Amino acid sequence: MQLCDGNDRDSSLQFLKHVLLSIRKRYTDSMPELPEVEVTRRGVAPHLEGRTVSAVTLRHQGLRWPFPPELSQRLCGYPIRSTGRRGKYLLIHFDHGTLIIHLGMSGHLRVLPISIPPNKHDHFDLVLDTHLLRLHDPRRFGAVLWHGEEDGHIDQHLLLRGLGVEPLDAAFSADLLYRQTRNRSAAIKQVLLAGDIVVGVGNIYASESLFKARINPKTPARRISLARYEKLEIAIRETLEAAIRQGGSTLRDFVAVDGQSGYFQQHYFVYDRSGEPCRICSAKVRQIKQGQRSTFYCVNCQK
Ligand SMILES: [Zn+2]
């Protein structure tokens, strides 16, 4: 790109601003939430479970935190028993401990033949017999951590012990939301994002679920009745399940050598639709900030 003077310079600056905004928007949009992590787990699980680790390749000191010391010695020769997920943490279980992977803001996991050379930002490979699990993470906000059996149950890991219930488990209920919010004067959107009552309802799905339940995201959590929490519980389950179902069509991308690993595009009711007509009443969707995060809602439909 050439930077010129006069009008050309203005238009160049405009162009630069546009590029920067679109990059920021892409990062925001592509940040994996619970459905993306669950779809990733389902995509890679059949290629991991029952296979034995033959090597570990680290191409960086670490991501958000340093890689665990001697990870190769800890894993080589051990078979993977199963995979799981807690919130946005992907769990790879061995007999002697669990490998915890977090995708951060920009991480993607792929299963590839071992002959495929790494690209830039491919920081971690878990090598199995004929293929490998490769973590690509340009922003390095992700994590690869080890929790040994000697450190107790995986739920006791520092990052997992304070997490609320899983929104798709039977333990999640309207009653739980109601009981645990009687003293919470914070806005319901903030309470959902806090993750201590229910985990994995991130920024996108909190906005979408509150829209479906017709609850204004600014409403203090303790003011919401049990009947309205019943609507919210159903909305959260339906929203997350629909996103996982939609992501199911991308499962093959996790093993395609040339597959685009971008997260699935979705049809949102309010999220990222500021100023556009509400899909129910046609009023303009409003965007506000709550705790540094954008919230989208319809003043007409959500009371
Ligand atoms: Zn509306």
Side-chain angles (χ1 to χ4, degrees), residues 211 214 277-283 298-302:
F211 175 80
R214 307 187 68 127
C278 168
R279 297 193 197 282
I280 304 289
C281 75
S282 297
C298 173
V299 279
N300 238 1
C301 294
Q302 295 173 258

Side-chain angles (χ1 to χ4, degrees), residues 19-44:
V19 168
L20 285 172
L21 277 175
S22 68
I23 288 171
R24 204 171 68 186
K25 186 162 153 53
R26 198 177 318 144
Y27 277 133
T28 314
D29 288 350
S30 66
M31 190 161 120
E33 291 203 20
L34 184 150
E36 288 82 356
V37 179
E38 178 57 21
V39 168
T40 298
R41 189 194 68 76
R42 292 180 190 183
V44 301

Side-chain angles (χ1 to χ4, degrees), residues 39-282:
V39 168
T40 298
R41 189 194 68 76
R42 292 180 190 183
V44 301
H47 308 279
L48 303 184
E49 292 171 358
R51 307 299 175 99
T52 297
V53 176
S54 58
V56 172
T57 309
L58 308 173
R59 298 189 192 84
H60 211 277
Q61 297 297 316
L63 303 172
R64 185 169 199 164
W65 297 290
F67 287 124
E70 298 167 353
L71 191 58
S72 186
Q73 290 93 313
R74 284 178 202 267
L75 299 182
C76 283
Y78 289 95
I80 294 170
R81 294 303 184 194
S82 61
T83 62
R85 179 188 53 73
R86 188 72 177 93
K88 299 205 300 186
Y89 295 93
L90 183 74
L91 308 175
I92 300 177
H93 299 296
F94 295 81
D95 285 335
H96 63 309
T98 299
L99 190 68
I100 305 170
I101 299 181
H102 195 279
L103 300 175
M105 300 183 79
S106 58
H108 292 276
L109 281 170
R110 305 269 299 283
V111 174
L112 297 165
I114 48 177
S115 56
I116 302 293
N119 287 319
K120 196 179 178 189
H121 308 306
D122 285 344
H123 302 304
F124 170 80
D125 287 348
L126 188 66
V127 186
L128 307 163
D129 40 10
T130 57
H131 55 271
L132 51 81
L133 179 72
R134 178 165 285 168
L135 176 62
H136 177 84
D137 187 5
R139 298 187 77 188
R140 293 198 287 112
F141 276 107
V144 175
L145 302 163
W146 173 253
H147 183 80
E149 190 194 25
E150 64 280 9
D151 297 323
H153 193 274
I154 183 65
D155 282 348
Q156 293 310 308
H157 188 276
L158 202 63
L159 293 171
L160 307 185
R161 65 170 72 144
L163 300 182
V165 301
E166 287 288 328
L168 301 177
D169 281 0
F172 175 56
S173 67
D175 195 50
L176 177 89
L177 283 171
Y178 180 75
R179 278 187 287 109
Q180 298 209 3
T181 51
R182 290 310 85 197
N183 297 320
R184 302 275 285 260
S185 50
I188 179 61
K189 162 96 180 319
Q190 300 293 92
V191 169
L192 290 177
L193 289 195
D196 58 328
I197 301 176
V198 57
V199 73
V201 185
N203 203 40
I204 296 174
Y205 301 106
S207 278
E208 290 291 289
S209 301
L210 288 166
F211 175 80
K212 278 196 204 166
R214 307 187 68 127
I215 296 171
N216 186 311
K218 295 188 286 187
T219 311
R222 64 185 172 85
R223 294 259 181 86
I224 297 172
S225 66
L226 180 59
R228 300 194 86 197
Y229 274 129
E230 280 166 3
K231 289 197 172 72
L232 184 59
E233 180 209 332
I234 293 167
I236 288 173
R237 286 182 189 275
E238 283 180 355
T239 305
L240 294 174
E241 277 164 2
I244 291 170
R245 255 197 322 275
Q246 199 169 353
S249 62
T250 70
L251 283 185
R252 63 187 171 77
D253 292 343
F254 291 98
V255 290
V257 174
D258 56 351
Q260 291 300 308
S261 52
Y263 290 111
F264 35 100
Q265 285 296 310
Q266 294 182 68
H267 190 71
Y268 297 122
F269 281 103
V270 284
Y271 180 78
D272 207 19
R273 297 191 63 243
S274 180
E276 292 177 42
C278 168
R279 297 193 197 282
I280 304 289
C281 75
S282 297

